[in-house]
Amino acid sequence: MTKADQAVAARAADLRERLEYHNYRYYVLDDPEIPDVEYDRMFRELQQLEAEHPELCTPDSPTQRVGGAPVEGFDEVRHLQPMLSLENAFTAEELQAFDRRVRERLGTEAEVSYAAETKLDGTAISLLYEDGHLVRAATRGDGQTGEDVTHNARTVDSIPLRLRGKGYPARLEVRGEIFMPKSGFERLNKHLAGQGSKTFVNPRNAAAGTLRQLDPKVAAQRPLEFFAYGVGFVEDGKLPDRHSATLERLKGWGVRVSPLTRVVGGADGCQDYYDNMMQERAGLPYEIDGVVFKVDQREQQQALGFVSRAPRWAIAFKFPAEEVTTVVNGVDFQVGRTGALTPVARLEPVFVGGVTVSNATLHNIDEVERKDVRVGDTVIVRRAGDVIPEVVRVLDERRKGEPEPVELPTNCPVCGSDVVRPEGHAVARCSGGLFCAAQRKEKLRHFASRRAMDIEGLGTKLVEQLVEQGVDGKQIQTAADIYRLTSEDLAGLDRMGEKSAANIVAAIQRSKETTLGRFLFALGIPEVGEVTAANLARHFQQLGTLMHAEIEELETVPDVGPVVAQHVHEFFRQPHNVEVIEALQENGVHWPSEAVTGSHALAGKTFVLTGALETMTRDEARDRIQAAGGKVTGSVSSKTDFVVAGTDPGSKLKKAEQLGVKVVGEAELLQLLR
Ligand code: IVH
């Protein structure tokens, strides 16, 4: 080798080592040291060197992840140690029974230590490392033999092609889960749909389907990730005597393990972990379908042994399913405050995402047509976190006969006015305006709601009565009419005592003192939510200035695009709306000048929320922080100003403590919002 060749070889080796190191910082430590562009630059340099000097290219070079030649079929692989499955628990009692059995078999009264892990919703994989090199990757198969998917596993950036450091066993089977993050899954499905290809039902199927592709170039394009959760066969090497320590050891060798793993004590510790993860679930970037508890001491694991194909020392505590099937009993159209007609599927009640659901939104008529939902169909219903339940799709194979397609009504189901749907718009609307009782009800309900004018006691039921019956011969038409209500008026309604009537009138009086942001939000201008309302208030400071603003000026407000600007502009050009606003002010609704309310108190501050709050959901907290000018992000970094920790905070709290980020409780958050 010439001197020059030596220099090139050394440079290639150096680049490879650096790339591996930064991959490890990024995936395993979740703590990147350099920006992505820097990584890409090194990657390209190595690619170029290897292209010019093919003899320098090693099979485990980071450049070799892009996918080699397609395979003809999958070879069978015999696992060196069987891949087991897990027993399931679905209730707290079943969890306690598991812990009791464990202690009985171990003959101990003492609290057992469990490694608590998330149950990743992907597909199991076994990675065989020989002398630290990834030589084979196999699916679980029947537990004894699986399929060789090495060609695809090599394309997964979070699977190391080489182990780091020293001291790893000569042969080691690393066991873990391959999964597709939620965002990657969405992107993939959009892309597939765009191509007219078949989409995947869920991220698990997408991960499993990708792993079973013959052409690794396909897998290389798809966002697969990996977390290890254990080991199989071990030859010539010793591992720690606790499962949790084994995972730590794997991490040291550059294998990615979940940062959410904890060691907990007894059934109570397990239950706490479950409750906590249930809270974190919706906010995680990937799906988990439960948590897994494993007796931590290997000696205890060995004493417990196995039953058929599952270990006695582990259990999966499953979350309530987020997707279930049920039958559509009917499709109705609901009329919202802007007159929008929303198709709603009436369902045979089902338990999904932890609650019983009997209605699911179908969003708009286009969606009904696209999904081809018909009465009598069996459908998949999804409810994740606090999100409104929705119909995901129809199970075509279960359709009986030829039910009629659902059609958009030509007349409003509430007031009978014409339904209009401008060319190219997904949303159909009732043209009845305030003549339509449904729109009136929804407008008033929104006006009085907590985050708008906050009139306690003026809820759905009361609004319904007021709109349907009126009081004392007076119709309740607009928000301004609310301020003319007396306690005698209210006491005349069904099931309304004098005391409650007086309380509601007092609440109405209190609501007169408000802020411009709340007032604007309460008006129910289409597309103007709480955040936009606050931004408008901050920008214009005076209602009069906003009312006369031209589209161009409106568009300079943060968060306001052409559509919103158009709506706002239009709203204030309607004589009727101006009349209502004037009547409200005449009836005493007022607010301090925006300049002194400090509603931008949180401007420039970044928040992260973790754990459950008491007075509001996390979504509400986010909206309120944003309304006050703050920003809410999903993960803690050195740029985070505050971490708001509710009860049972998750790993974000720990991260905040590590980084020295200020942690506040709910009370302090409320203080800041004030
Ligand atoms: S342990 C000896 N831990 O769930 C126990 N499995 O039915 C073997 N899974 O096939 C599995 N997350 O694909 C274990 N933290 C975790 C897991 C996990 C997901 C999957 C795995 C396995 C299935 C068990």
Side-chain angles (χ1 to χ4, degrees):
M1 233 199 261
T2 67
K3 269 239 162 73
D5 283 347
Q6 269 173 7
V8 172
R11 178 65 184 159
D14 179 51
L15 283 168
R16 226 168 267 147
E17 202 149 300
R18 282 167 192 256
L19 287 164
E20 276 169 4
Y21 170 73
H22 290 298
N23 225 28
Y24 164 73
R25 297 286 310 209
Y26 187 88
Y27 287 106
V28 181
L29 302 185
D30 191 16
D31 185 18
E33 213 174 70
I34 54 168
D36 291 359
V37 284
E38 184 71 7
Y39 183 92
D40 294 342
R41 197 193 52 71
M42 286 196 273
F43 190 90
R44 277 196 306 274
E45 187 186 337
L46 179 60
Q47 261 180 329
Q48 175 126 24
L49 282 183
E50 289 175 346
E52 287 164 4
H53 306 268
E55 73 285 357
L56 289 181
C57 186
T58 58
D60 47 17
S61 167
T63 58
Q64 298 308 297
R65 289 186 182 277
V66 286
V71 297
E72 309 236 309
F74 299 100
D75 289 335
E76 274 203 353
V77 167
R78 216 178 152 73
H79 299 301
L80 300 179
Q81 190 161 301
M83 288 182 81
L84 303 172
S85 60
L86 293 168
E87 289 277 8
N88 290 324
F90 293 94
T91 63
E93 291 70 39
E94 287 170 6
L95 172 68
Q96 281 156 13
F98 163 75
D99 175 57
R100 209 175 314 118
R101 282 197 305 275
V102 165
R103 280 181 292 120
E104 274 165 17
R105 287 203 165 256
L106 293 175
T108 174
E109 303 266 289
E111 191 180 79
V112 174
S113 278
Y114 293 101
E117 301 169 6
T118 51
K119 186 166 191 299
L120 301 150
D121 201 6
T123 184
I125 194 160
S126 181
L127 307 172
L128 179 61
Y129 287 90
E130 287 183 353
D131 295 323
H133 294 271
L134 174 68
V135 295
R136 195 176 75 189
T139 61
R140 177 166 180 274
D142 63 6
Q144 302 291 335
T145 38
E147 286 176 330
D148 189 330
V149 290
T150 315
H151 61 300
N152 288 330
R154 292 176 54 87
T155 69
V156 179
D157 289 328
S158 44
I159 293 181
L161 300 176
R162 271 204 316 200
L163 297 180
R164 300 181 60 76
K166 294 194 187 67
Y168 38 73
R171 289 221 283 174
L172 172 68
E173 276 182 325
V174 174
R175 299 279 165 82
E177 197 86 347
I178 294 254
F179 59 95
M180 196 176 282
K182 294 174 189 169
S183 60
F185 167 72
E186 299 290 335
R187 241 181 298 125
L188 171 62
N189 259 0
K190 250 192 210 129
H191 175 74
L192 290 174
Q195 286 186 325
S197 308
K198 216 171 152 262
T199 54
F200 289 103
V201 179
N202 54 40
R204 173 165 27 88
N205 288 7
T210 301
L211 205 54
R212 294 199 73 264
Q213 291 280 333
L214 293 170
D215 185 355
K217 295 227 163 40
V218 176
Q221 297 294 322
R222 294 197 181 159
L224 290 183
E225 292 193 21
F226 171 78
F227 274 133
Y229 52 62
V231 294
F233 182 75
V234 182
E235 185 178 277
D236 256 356
K238 225 174 105 48
L239 290 175
D241 54 13
R242 287 183 306 124
H243 175 75
S244 53
T246 302
L247 294 181
E248 274 303 309
R249 186 68 57 87
L250 286 179
K251 191 170 163 184
W253 290 328
V255 179
R256 192 177 183 222
V257 297
S258 165
L260 300 176
T261 300
R262 300 280 179 276
V263 176
V264 300
D268 288 348
C270 291
Q271 184 69 46
D272 286 349
Y273 183 81
Y274 173 91
D275 294 344
N276 190 7
M277 283 306 146
M278 185 87 158
Q279 293 275 345
E280 294 290 316
R281 182 186 194 187
L284 293 178
Y286 46 81
E287 298 214 347
I288 58 176
D289 60 345
V291 292
V292 182
F293 302 115
K294 300 172 183 171
V295 170
D296 200 29
Q297 292 285 349
R298 192 177 316 283
E299 219 168 62
Q300 291 185 329
Q301 289 186 357
Q302 277 155 358
L304 288 159
F306 306 87
V307 255
S308 65
R309 296 148 120 229
R312 283 206 194 88
W313 43 263
I315 195 151
F317 192 178
K318 300 283 283 269
F319 290 145
E322 287 183 330
E323 285 189 1
V324 298
T325 62
T326 188
V327 173
V328 177
N329 290 332
V331 175
D332 292 340
F333 286 82
Q334 277 179 352
V335 186
R337 77 181 140 88
T338 60
L341 261 64
T342 306
V344 177
R346 304 294 177 202
L347 306 169
E348 197 54 40
V350 276
F351 191 71
V352 56
V355 297
T356 300
V357 160
S358 45
N359 302 306
T361 180
L362 286 159
H363 302 291
N364 56 54
I365 188 73
D366 275 355
E367 176 120 340
V368 178
E369 282 164 12
R370 196 164 48 75
K371 291 180 175 164
D372 192 23
V373 179
R374 304 187 189 188
V375 177
D377 278 350
T378 301
V379 292
I380 295 178
V381 174
R382 178 175 176 81
R383 180 186 179 271
D386 294 337
V387 183
I388 301 169
E390 60 169 0
V391 171
V392 181
R393 68 186 181 96
V394 172
L395 297 177
D396 291 328
E397 58 281 10
R398 301 233 204 136
R399 179 173 284 169
K400 296 193 199 75
E402 272 286 314
E404 291 293 316
V406 172
E407 277 183 23
L408 182 68
T410 50
N411 294 92
C412 171
V414 175
C415 72
S417 302
D418 288 346
V419 167
V420 290
R421 185 180 175 206
E423 195 80 37
H425 281 236
V427 181
R429 288 180 204 278
C430 158
S431 59
L434 282 185
F435 171 73
C436 177
Q439 293 186 50
R440 231 154 53 217
K441 280 180 200 167
E442 289 301 312
K443 277 199 166 68
L444 293 176
R445 206 184 46 71
H446 170 77
F447 181 85
S449 65
R450 197 148 66 83
R451 286 145 75 192
M453 298 301 279
D454 193 18
I455 307 179
E456 212 181 319
L458 190 53
T460 311
K461 287 259 158 57
L462 183 54
V463 166
E464 223 152 70
Q465 279 192 54
L466 288 172
V467 170
E468 277 165 19
Q469 305 169 12
V471 282
D472 200 16
K474 287 181 276 185
Q475 272 262 20
I476 302 296
Q477 289 274 17
T478 74
D481 296 332
I482 292 176
Y483 291 92
R484 301 193 187 102
L485 288 170
T486 63
S487 38
E488 291 77 50
D489 287 340
L490 290 173
L493 294 168
D494 310 341
R495 288 191 303 275
M496 174 74 72
E498 263 174 40
K499 184 103 205 291
S500 353
N503 283 343
I504 293 167
V505 171
I508 293 173
Q509 294 305 319
R510 273 201 305 280
S511 78
K512 287 180 180 173
E513 191 173 328
T514 185
T515 63
L516 179 55
R518 273 178 179 268
F519 182 75
L520 290 175
F521 176 57
L523 290 177
I525 306 167
E527 305 287 338
V528 176
E530 213 177 352
V531 176
T532 310
N535 287 341
L536 288 168
R538 202 171 307 137
H539 182 91
F540 290 98
Q541 308 215 341
Q542 303 288 336
L543 178 61
T545 329
L546 166 62
M547 288 176 74
H548 294 105
E550 290 306 332
I551 303 236
E552 295 72 39
E553 161 119 48
L554 287 163
E555 282 187 31
T556 66
V557 177
D559 224 29
V560 175
V563 176
V564 178
Q566 182 76 42
H567 279 300
V568 175
H569 188 257
E570 186 105 329
F571 184 89
F572 292 118
R573 295 299 168 288
Q574 306 302 314
H576 166 78
N577 290 333
V578 177
E579 268 168 40
V580 173
I581 291 169
E582 281 170 0
L584 283 165
Q585 290 183 294
E586 273 160 27
N587 280 292
V589 174
H590 66 281
W591 48 86
S593 145
E594 214 16 56
V596 298
T597 56
S599 68
H600 41 320
L602 303 185
K605 298 283 183 234
T606 303
F607 287 74
V608 172
L609 305 168
T610 179
L613 302 177
E614 259 163 38
T615 62
M616 54 191 147
T617 65
R618 276 198 292 213
D619 280 348
E620 277 168 2
R622 187 199 55 219
D623 290 353
R624 292 180 61 178
I625 290 169
Q626 287 173 344
K631 213 169 98 185
V632 178
T633 62
S635 59
V636 182
S637 74
S638 54
K639 297 205 185 74
T640 311
D641 294 295
F642 298 99
V643 167
V644 182
T647 44
D648 287 333
S651 56
K652 290 170 190 165
L653 178 59
K654 213 170 147 199
K655 186 91 187 256
E657 282 159 1
Q658 277 166 8
L659 293 176
V661 171
K662 189 165 166 62
V663 176
V664 298
E666 184 165 356
E668 283 160 287
L669 172 64
L670 289 169
Q671 197 78 44
L672 287 170
L673 287 167
R674 245 178 264 133

